[in-house]
Structures are given as C-alpha cells and as structure tokens.
Amino acid sequence: MKTHQERMAKKKEVIDKRIAQATEERGVLILLKGNGKGKSSSAFGTMARCVGHGKKAAVIQFVKGRTETGEFKLFRDHELIDWNVMGHGFTWETQDKSQDIAAAEKAWALAEQYLQDNSYEMLVFDELSYMFKYKYLPLEPVIEALKNRPKNQHVMITGRVMPEGLEEIADTISSIRDERHAFRLGVKAQAGIEF
Ligand code: ATP
Ligand code: MG
C-alpha cells in the first residue's frame, strides 16, 4: 500500500510533466454552451480576469436588448472595456425577422472590426450562436474571421447550442448542464442573479 506522500509525489510528477508540455502562448477560442445557467456570467468573469491584468476587451451582445444588467452597469464606464448591446431581444419577442437580421449584420460588422484589431486581447460574443440557429448570419465568414484574428486575441462565445463548424475550430469547449434551476421552483428572475 502506497503512502499518501508517495501517491501525491507521483501525482505531482504527472501534473508537472503535463505543465512542462504546454508551452504555447496564444489567443484561444472558448465556447460556453449548454442549457444550464452560467455561460454569460463565466464569459464576463473571465473578461474581468483579463481586464484585471490591464488587457483591453470588447463585448458584443447579439440578442439581449437589456442594458440594466449588473455587468453592464459595472463595466460600461471601464476604460479598458467596450460594451455593445446590439440585439433588440429574443426573436419571439420582436417577431420582426428583417429587423433582427439588420441588427445581426450590424453587430457582426462590428465584431469583424474587433477581430482585425490586435489591441483587443479579449472579445466576448454573447449569444452569437443564435445568429446561426435562426440563419440571421452565414457561418462561413464568421469561421474565417475567427481563424484570421490576431494571434494573441482570446474570443469567448456563448449560446445554448453551438454549430459544428465553430466547435471544430475551438480550443476550449465547456458544456453547462441544466441539473436544476430555481425558476422551475417558482423563483423569478432576480437582479444580481439573472441580470
Ligand atoms: P448567466 O447569464 O446567468 O450566466 P446563461 O448565460 O448561462 O446565464 P442564458 O441562456 O443566457 O443563460 O439565459 C439567460 C438567463 O436565463 C440566465 O441568467 C438565467 O438564470 C436564465 N436561465 C438560464 N438557464 C436556465 C434554465 N435552464 N431554466 C430557466 N432559466 C434559465
Ligand atoms: Mg447568456
């Protein structure tokens, strides 16, 4: 029977070897998907981490029209963050497809500019994935722009379902499973938790 110390020493050896093998430093594409709660908040949390190191970031919200979110109030005046709320809300609320498409195209035009600007080290495209689900944007140009972005630039994309093409080029994919949600227990959307 191995002692605790021996097991930990072995574990350290394995982990140290893995760390030594990961030597590359570059921008990563992170997808946060799934039906559980925690996608956007994870993206904004990681962005806060990045900005805390003095790096510049930009956010584009493709769906939400809402500007009274806590994160918007906290970050909108930050000198290192450009925050853009480009959507008018969910498609079943607006019920106006041509208006939604125009908003999607405008948001994507801005996203493309950021993807060519290496002064931004972190981009968050919140709910971009819905643009493909509803066919508001073609996928190919998005993939091309992501592939050709500056080498140091991190991109985080959120949305419940990701198109396969995005998953193919992603470096990190986290899927958040919906095990339980307070909403189904009768708890309403609360400031500080949902927005
Ligand atoms: P958050 O912004 O809290 O990280 P999210 O980005 O993962 O959540 P969205 O799909 O963008 O979730 O949904 C927006 C809001 O809807 C969330 O803040 C939230 O708590 C609520 N929500 C998320 N998942 C569920 C669910 N499975 N059932 C009910 N409401 C949900
Ligand atoms: Mg979200």
Side-chain angles (χ1 to χ4, degrees), residues 34-44 64 71 90 126-127 130 158-160 176 178 180-184 193-195:
N35 291 327
K37 169 176 163 53
K39 300 174 290 295
S40 299
S41 45
S42 166
F44 299 140
K64 299 254 163 60
E71 54 272 32
F90 280 105
D126 193 33
E127 307 202 319
Y130 294 98
T158 76
R160 293 197 177 193
I176 301 180
D178 177 23
R180 185 178 302 167
H181 196 287
F183 179 66
R184 295 195 292 278
I193 300 295
E194 265 75 39
F195 61 89

mmCIF file of all heavy atoms in Angstrom, residues 34-44 64 71 90 126-127 130 158-160 176 178 180-184 193-195, ligand 1:
data_model
loop_
_atom_site.group_PDB
_atom_site.id
_atom_site.type_symbol
_atom_site.label_atom_id
_atom_site.label_comp_id
_atom_site.label_asym_id
_atom_site.label_seq_id
_atom_site.Cartn_x
_atom_site.Cartn_y
_atom_site.Cartn_z
ATOM 1 N N GLY A 34 -24.632 24.861 -23.680
ATOM 2 C CA GLY A 34 -25.452 24.022 -22.800
ATOM 3 C C GLY A 34 -26.663 24.765 -22.255
ATOM 4 O O GLY A 34 -26.759 25.985 -22.355
ATOM 5 N N ASN A 35 -27.572 23.998 -21.671
ATOM 6 C CA ASN A 35 -28.835 24.566 -21.184
ATOM 7 C C ASN A 35 -28.771 25.067 -19.744
ATOM 8 O O ASN A 35 -29.716 25.654 -19.248
ATOM 9 C CB ASN A 35 -29.952 23.523 -21.290
ATOM 10 C CG ASN A 35 -30.297 23.233 -22.733
ATOM 11 O OD1 ASN A 35 -30.212 24.118 -23.590
ATOM 12 N ND2 ASN A 35 -30.652 21.991 -23.030
ATOM 13 N N GLY A 36 -27.677 24.802 -19.058
ATOM 14 C CA GLY A 36 -27.579 25.233 -17.657
ATOM 15 C C GLY A 36 -27.217 26.700 -17.520
ATOM 16 O O GLY A 36 -26.738 27.324 -18.472
ATOM 17 N N LYS A 37 -27.398 27.231 -16.333
ATOM 18 C CA LYS A 37 -27.065 28.629 -16.060
ATOM 19 C C LYS A 37 -25.566 28.780 -15.825
ATOM 20 O O LYS A 37 -24.982 27.995 -15.081
ATOM 21 C CB LYS A 37 -27.806 29.107 -14.813
ATOM 22 C CG LYS A 37 -27.328 30.441 -14.305
ATOM 23 C CD LYS A 37 -28.128 30.945 -13.141
ATOM 24 C CE LYS A 37 -27.405 32.044 -12.387
ATOM 25 N NZ LYS A 37 -26.954 33.147 -13.226
ATOM 26 N N GLY A 38 -24.968 29.814 -16.411
ATOM 27 C CA GLY A 38 -23.560 30.082 -16.129
ATOM 28 C C GLY A 38 -22.692 30.389 -17.334
ATOM 29 O O GLY A 38 -21.479 30.492 -17.196
ATOM 30 N N LYS A 39 -23.292 30.523 -18.512
ATOM 31 C CA LYS A 39 -22.496 30.762 -19.719
ATOM 32 C C LYS A 39 -22.014 32.222 -19.794
ATOM 33 O O LYS A 39 -20.817 32.493 -19.813
ATOM 34 C CB LYS A 39 -23.305 30.397 -20.964
ATOM 35 C CG LYS A 39 -23.728 28.934 -20.991
ATOM 36 C CD LYS A 39 -24.644 28.611 -22.147
ATOM 37 C CE LYS A 39 -26.023 29.203 -22.039
ATOM 38 N NZ LYS A 39 -26.821 28.677 -20.911
ATOM 39 N N SER A 40 -22.972 33.139 -19.798
ATOM 40 C CA SER A 40 -22.578 34.550 -19.932
ATOM 41 C C SER A 40 -21.784 35.004 -18.718
ATOM 42 O O SER A 40 -20.789 35.731 -18.842
ATOM 43 C CB SER A 40 -23.815 35.440 -20.101
ATOM 44 O OG SER A 40 -24.515 35.067 -21.266
ATOM 45 N N SER A 41 -22.219 34.571 -17.541
ATOM 46 C CA SER A 41 -21.509 35.011 -16.336
ATOM 47 C C SER A 41 -20.073 34.480 -16.311
ATOM 48 O O SER A 41 -19.156 35.170 -15.854
ATOM 49 C CB SER A 41 -22.278 34.612 -15.079
ATOM 50 O OG SER A 41 -22.721 33.295 -15.164
ATOM 51 N N SER A 42 -19.855 33.298 -16.856
ATOM 52 C CA SER A 42 -18.487 32.779 -16.954
ATOM 53 C C SER A 42 -17.667 33.622 -17.930
ATOM 54 O O SER A 42 -16.500 33.946 -17.669
ATOM 55 C CB SER A 42 -18.524 31.321 -17.410
ATOM 56 O OG SER A 42 -17.246 30.902 -17.806
ATOM 57 N N ALA A 43 -18.287 33.975 -19.041
ATOM 58 C CA ALA A 43 -17.571 34.784 -20.043
ATOM 59 C C ALA A 43 -17.195 36.147 -19.445
ATOM 60 O O ALA A 43 -16.051 36.599 -19.583
ATOM 61 C CB ALA A 43 -18.432 34.964 -21.290
ATOM 62 N N PHE A 44 -18.134 36.773 -18.752
ATOM 63 C CA PHE A 44 -17.841 38.102 -18.191
ATOM 64 C C PHE A 44 -16.860 37.995 -17.022
ATOM 65 O O PHE A 44 -16.050 38.897 -16.803
ATOM 66 C CB PHE A 44 -19.126 38.815 -17.777
ATOM 67 C CG PHE A 44 -20.062 39.048 -18.938
ATOM 68 C CD1 PHE A 44 -21.433 38.890 -18.800
ATOM 69 C CD2 PHE A 44 -19.565 39.412 -20.189
ATOM 70 C CE1 PHE A 44 -22.290 39.087 -19.884
ATOM 71 C CE2 PHE A 44 -20.412 39.606 -21.275
ATOM 72 C CZ PHE A 44 -21.782 39.444 -21.124
ATOM 73 N N LYS A 64 -29.572 40.109 -26.487
ATOM 74 C CA LYS A 64 -30.224 40.878 -25.432
ATOM 75 C C LYS A 64 -30.270 42.361 -25.728
ATOM 76 O O LYS A 64 -29.277 42.970 -26.088
ATOM 77 C CB LYS A 64 -29.468 40.675 -24.113
ATOM 78 C CG LYS A 64 -29.461 39.238 -23.666
ATOM 79 C CD LYS A 64 -30.399 38.995 -22.496
ATOM 80 C CE LYS A 64 -30.684 37.509 -22.339
ATOM 81 N NZ LYS A 64 -29.467 36.737 -22.101
ATOM 82 N N GLU A 71 -23.785 43.546 -14.859
ATOM 83 C CA GLU A 71 -22.471 43.572 -15.506
ATOM 84 C C GLU A 71 -22.308 44.812 -16.385
ATOM 85 O O GLU A 71 -21.241 45.431 -16.417
ATOM 86 C CB GLU A 71 -22.206 42.275 -16.294
ATOM 87 C CG GLU A 71 -23.239 41.856 -17.311
ATOM 88 C CD GLU A 71 -24.358 40.978 -16.741
ATOM 89 O OE1 GLU A 71 -24.716 41.146 -15.563
ATOM 90 O OE2 GLU A 71 -24.884 40.126 -17.499
ATOM 91 N N PHE A 90 -35.173 38.753 -27.687
ATOM 92 C CA PHE A 90 -35.359 37.450 -28.308
ATOM 93 C C PHE A 90 -36.277 37.523 -29.517
ATOM 94 O O PHE A 90 -37.179 38.341 -29.573
ATOM 95 C CB PHE A 90 -35.905 36.450 -27.299
ATOM 96 C CG PHE A 90 -34.825 35.912 -26.416
ATOM 97 C CD1 PHE A 90 -34.709 36.342 -25.107
ATOM 98 C CD2 PHE A 90 -33.912 35.002 -26.921
ATOM 99 C CE1 PHE A 90 -33.696 35.856 -24.299
ATOM 100 C CE2 PHE A 90 -32.892 34.511 -26.121
ATOM 101 C CZ PHE A 90 -32.779 34.946 -24.809
ATOM 102 N N ASP A 126 -21.539 37.440 -26.921
ATOM 103 C CA ASP A 126 -22.580 36.806 -26.115
ATOM 104 C C ASP A 126 -23.777 36.433 -26.999
ATOM 105 O O ASP A 126 -24.338 37.281 -27.691
ATOM 106 C CB ASP A 126 -23.006 37.782 -25.007
ATOM 107 C CG ASP A 126 -23.842 37.116 -23.917
ATOM 108 O OD1 ASP A 126 -23.616 35.926 -23.632
ATOM 109 O OD2 ASP A 126 -24.723 37.800 -23.354
ATOM 110 N N GLU A 127 -24.137 35.173 -26.965
ATOM 111 C CA GLU A 127 -25.269 34.633 -27.717
ATOM 112 C C GLU A 127 -25.127 34.748 -29.230
ATOM 113 O O GLU A 127 -26.122 34.805 -29.950
ATOM 114 C CB GLU A 127 -26.580 35.270 -27.227
ATOM 115 C CG GLU A 127 -26.681 35.125 -25.705
ATOM 116 C CD GLU A 127 -28.070 35.218 -25.151
ATOM 117 O OE1 GLU A 127 -28.803 36.068 -25.630
ATOM 118 O OE2 GLU A 127 -28.394 34.425 -24.257
ATOM 119 N N TYR A 130 -26.990 32.000 -31.584
ATOM 120 C CA TYR A 130 -28.383 32.099 -32.059
ATOM 121 C C TYR A 130 -28.479 32.665 -33.476
ATOM 122 O O TYR A 130 -29.450 32.418 -34.189
ATOM 123 C CB TYR A 130 -29.234 32.944 -31.105
ATOM 124 C CG TYR A 130 -29.379 32.283 -29.761
ATOM 125 C CD1 TYR A 130 -28.572 32.651 -28.697
ATOM 126 C CD2 TYR A 130 -30.296 31.255 -29.576
ATOM 127 C CE1 TYR A 130 -28.666 32.021 -27.468
ATOM 128 C CE2 TYR A 130 -30.398 30.609 -28.354
ATOM 129 C CZ TYR A 130 -29.581 31.001 -27.298
ATOM 130 O OH TYR A 130 -29.666 30.367 -26.105
ATOM 131 N N THR A 158 -20.830 32.551 -26.332
ATOM 132 C CA THR A 158 -21.829 31.841 -25.527
ATOM 133 C C THR A 158 -23.079 31.544 -26.363
ATOM 134 O O THR A 158 -23.322 32.170 -27.386
ATOM 135 C CB THR A 158 -22.274 32.652 -24.288
ATOM 136 O OG1 THR A 158 -23.165 33.695 -24.715
ATOM 137 C CG2 THR A 158 -21.107 33.266 -23.552
ATOM 138 N N GLY A 159 -23.864 30.605 -25.878
ATOM 139 C CA GLY A 159 -25.118 30.226 -26.537
ATOM 140 C C GLY A 159 -25.418 28.771 -26.243
ATOM 141 O O GLY A 159 -24.490 27.989 -26.041
ATOM 142 N N ARG A 160 -26.692 28.437 -26.200
ATOM 143 C CA ARG A 160 -27.042 27.076 -25.766
ATOM 144 C C ARG A 160 -26.525 25.982 -26.694
ATOM 145 O O ARG A 160 -26.021 24.962 -26.240
ATOM 146 C CB ARG A 160 -28.553 26.971 -25.586
ATOM 147 C CG ARG A 160 -28.975 27.855 -24.411
ATOM 148 C CD ARG A 160 -30.322 27.558 -23.882
ATOM 149 N NE ARG A 160 -30.506 28.440 -22.724
ATOM 150 C CZ ARG A 160 -31.460 28.328 -21.829
ATOM 151 N NH1 ARG A 160 -32.354 27.376 -21.941
ATOM 152 N NH2 ARG A 160 -31.543 29.163 -20.821
ATOM 153 N N ILE A 176 -22.417 23.438 -20.110
ATOM 154 C CA ILE A 176 -23.018 23.575 -18.786
ATOM 155 C C ILE A 176 -24.378 22.877 -18.782
ATOM 156 O O ILE A 176 -25.282 23.250 -19.526
ATOM 157 C CB ILE A 176 -23.146 25.058 -18.391
ATOM 158 C CG1 ILE A 176 -21.746 25.681 -18.398
ATOM 159 C CG2 ILE A 176 -23.816 25.193 -17.022
ATOM 160 C CD1 ILE A 176 -21.685 27.120 -18.030
ATOM 161 N N ASP A 178 -27.945 21.558 -17.394
ATOM 162 C CA ASP A 178 -29.034 22.068 -16.561
ATOM 163 C C ASP A 178 -29.517 20.953 -15.636
ATOM 164 O O ASP A 178 -30.339 20.131 -16.017
ATOM 165 C CB ASP A 178 -30.178 22.557 -17.463
ATOM 166 C CG ASP A 178 -31.374 23.021 -16.662
ATOM 167 O OD1 ASP A 178 -31.206 23.390 -15.481
ATOM 168 O OD2 ASP A 178 -32.485 23.029 -17.223
ATOM 169 N N ARG A 180 -30.676 21.630 -12.418
ATOM 170 C CA ARG A 180 -31.805 22.203 -11.681
ATOM 171 C C ARG A 180 -31.752 23.705 -11.884
ATOM 172 O O ARG A 180 -30.680 24.278 -12.047
ATOM 173 C CB ARG A 180 -31.657 21.899 -10.194
ATOM 174 C CG ARG A 180 -32.836 22.350 -9.351
ATOM 175 C CD ARG A 180 -32.659 21.975 -7.903
ATOM 176 N NE ARG A 180 -32.492 20.529 -7.729
ATOM 177 C CZ ARG A 180 -32.073 19.939 -6.604
ATOM 178 N NH1 ARG A 180 -31.777 20.663 -5.544
ATOM 179 N NH2 ARG A 180 -31.950 18.632 -6.521
ATOM 180 N N HIS A 181 -32.910 24.360 -11.888
ATOM 181 C CA HIS A 181 -32.910 25.823 -11.959
ATOM 182 C C HIS A 181 -34.027 26.373 -11.084
ATOM 183 O O HIS A 181 -35.148 25.871 -11.125
ATOM 184 C CB HIS A 181 -33.051 26.300 -13.408
ATOM 185 C CG HIS A 181 -32.680 27.751 -13.563
ATOM 186 N ND1 HIS A 181 -33.486 28.766 -13.118
ATOM 187 C CD2 HIS A 181 -31.572 28.346 -14.075
ATOM 188 C CE1 HIS A 181 -32.889 29.927 -13.355
ATOM 189 N NE2 HIS A 181 -31.736 29.701 -13.933
ATOM 190 N N ALA A 182 -33.692 27.396 -10.316
ATOM 191 C CA ALA A 182 -34.635 27.972 -9.351
ATOM 192 C C ALA A 182 -35.944 28.435 -9.991
ATOM 193 O O ALA A 182 -36.992 28.437 -9.342
ATOM 194 C CB ALA A 182 -33.976 29.146 -8.623
ATOM 195 N N PHE A 183 -35.857 28.806 -11.271
ATOM 196 C CA PHE A 183 -37.057 29.249 -11.989
ATOM 197 C C PHE A 183 -38.164 28.189 -11.930
ATOM 198 O O PHE A 183 -39.336 28.500 -11.739
ATOM 199 C CB PHE A 183 -36.664 29.546 -13.446
ATOM 200 C CG PHE A 183 -37.808 29.998 -14.308
ATOM 201 C CD1 PHE A 183 -38.448 31.200 -14.070
ATOM 202 C CD2 PHE A 183 -38.241 29.219 -15.376
ATOM 203 C CE1 PHE A 183 -39.504 31.626 -14.869
ATOM 204 C CE2 PHE A 183 -39.292 29.627 -16.180
ATOM 205 C CZ PHE A 183 -39.921 30.843 -15.930
ATOM 206 N N ARG A 184 -37.738 26.940 -12.054
ATOM 207 C CA ARG A 184 -38.725 25.853 -12.033
ATOM 208 C C ARG A 184 -39.248 25.587 -10.629
ATOM 209 O O ARG A 184 -40.200 24.840 -10.444
ATOM 210 C CB ARG A 184 -38.133 24.577 -12.659
ATOM 211 C CG ARG A 184 -37.832 24.745 -14.148
ATOM 212 C CD ARG A 184 -37.609 23.423 -14.844
ATOM 213 N NE ARG A 184 -36.387 22.761 -14.414
ATOM 214 C CZ ARG A 184 -35.165 23.028 -14.878
ATOM 215 N NH1 ARG A 184 -34.990 23.949 -15.808
ATOM 216 N NH2 ARG A 184 -34.125 22.380 -14.437
ATOM 217 N N ILE A 193 -28.704 37.989 -9.951
ATOM 218 C CA ILE A 193 -28.565 36.558 -10.241
ATOM 219 C C ILE A 193 -28.784 36.306 -11.734
ATOM 220 O O ILE A 193 -27.940 35.718 -12.406
ATOM 221 C CB ILE A 193 -29.557 35.714 -9.411
ATOM 222 C CG1 ILE A 193 -29.321 35.914 -7.912
ATOM 223 C CG2 ILE A 193 -29.442 34.223 -9.773
ATOM 224 C CD1 ILE A 193 -27.974 35.422 -7.408
ATOM 225 N N GLU A 194 -29.913 36.765 -12.247
ATOM 226 C CA GLU A 194 -30.212 36.548 -13.668
ATOM 227 C C GLU A 194 -29.777 37.725 -14.544
ATOM 228 O O GLU A 194 -29.569 37.574 -15.732
ATOM 229 C CB GLU A 194 -31.708 36.330 -13.889
ATOM 230 C CG GLU A 194 -32.094 34.869 -13.931
ATOM 231 C CD GLU A 194 -32.098 34.256 -12.560
ATOM 232 O OE1 GLU A 194 -32.530 34.951 -11.615
ATOM 233 O OE2 GLU A 194 -31.648 33.114 -12.412
ATOM 234 N N PHE A 195 -29.723 38.924 -13.939
ATOM 235 C CA PHE A 195 -29.334 40.092 -14.762
ATOM 236 C C PHE A 195 -28.653 41.147 -13.920
ATOM 237 O O PHE A 195 -28.576 40.982 -12.692
ATOM 238 C CB PHE A 195 -30.565 40.687 -15.489
ATOM 239 C CG PHE A 195 -31.639 41.186 -14.560
ATOM 240 C CD1 PHE A 195 -31.619 42.511 -14.089
ATOM 241 C CD2 PHE A 195 -32.652 40.350 -14.126
ATOM 242 C CE1 PHE A 195 -32.607 42.980 -13.239
ATOM 243 C CE2 PHE A 195 -33.648 40.812 -13.276
ATOM 244 C CZ PHE A 195 -33.619 42.126 -12.817
HETATM 245 P P1 ATP B 1 -25.914 33.568 -16.859
HETATM 246 O O1 ATP B 1 -26.020 34.888 -17.590
HETATM 247 O O2 ATP B 1 -26.583 33.644 -15.541
HETATM 248 O O3 ATP B 1 -24.535 33.041 -16.820
HETATM 249 P P2 ATP B 1 -26.554 31.884 -19.107
HETATM 250 O O4 ATP B 1 -25.830 32.828 -19.964
HETATM 251 O O5 ATP B 1 -25.986 30.532 -18.955
HETATM 252 O O6 ATP B 1 -26.788 32.508 -17.658
HETATM 253 P P3 ATP B 1 -28.853 32.171 -20.849
HETATM 254 O O7 ATP B 1 -29.193 31.015 -21.685
HETATM 255 O O8 ATP B 1 -28.163 33.308 -21.483
HETATM 256 O O9 ATP B 1 -28.047 31.674 -19.572
HETATM 257 O O10 ATP B 1 -30.176 32.665 -20.121
HETATM 258 C C1 ATP B 1 -30.291 33.947 -19.502
HETATM 259 C C2 ATP B 1 -30.915 33.831 -18.151
HETATM 260 O O11 ATP B 1 -31.937 32.861 -18.150
HETATM 261 C C3 ATP B 1 -29.926 33.389 -17.083
HETATM 262 O O12 ATP B 1 -29.365 34.400 -16.312
HETATM 263 C C4 ATP B 1 -30.744 32.514 -16.243
HETATM 264 O O13 ATP B 1 -30.541 32.248 -14.945
HETATM 265 C C5 ATP B 1 -31.880 32.064 -17.013
HETATM 266 N N1 ATP B 1 -31.654 30.647 -17.292
HETATM 267 C C6 ATP B 1 -30.550 30.024 -17.742
HETATM 268 N N2 ATP B 1 -30.737 28.700 -17.851
HETATM 269 C C7 ATP B 1 -31.991 28.486 -17.439
HETATM 270 C C8 ATP B 1 -32.798 27.309 -17.273
HETATM 271 N N3 ATP B 1 -32.311 26.115 -17.590
HETATM 272 N N4 ATP B 1 -34.075 27.462 -16.815
HETATM 273 C C9 ATP B 1 -34.553 28.681 -16.525
HETATM 274 N N5 ATP B 1 -33.852 29.834 -16.650
HETATM 275 C C10 ATP B 1 -32.592 29.726 -17.082
#
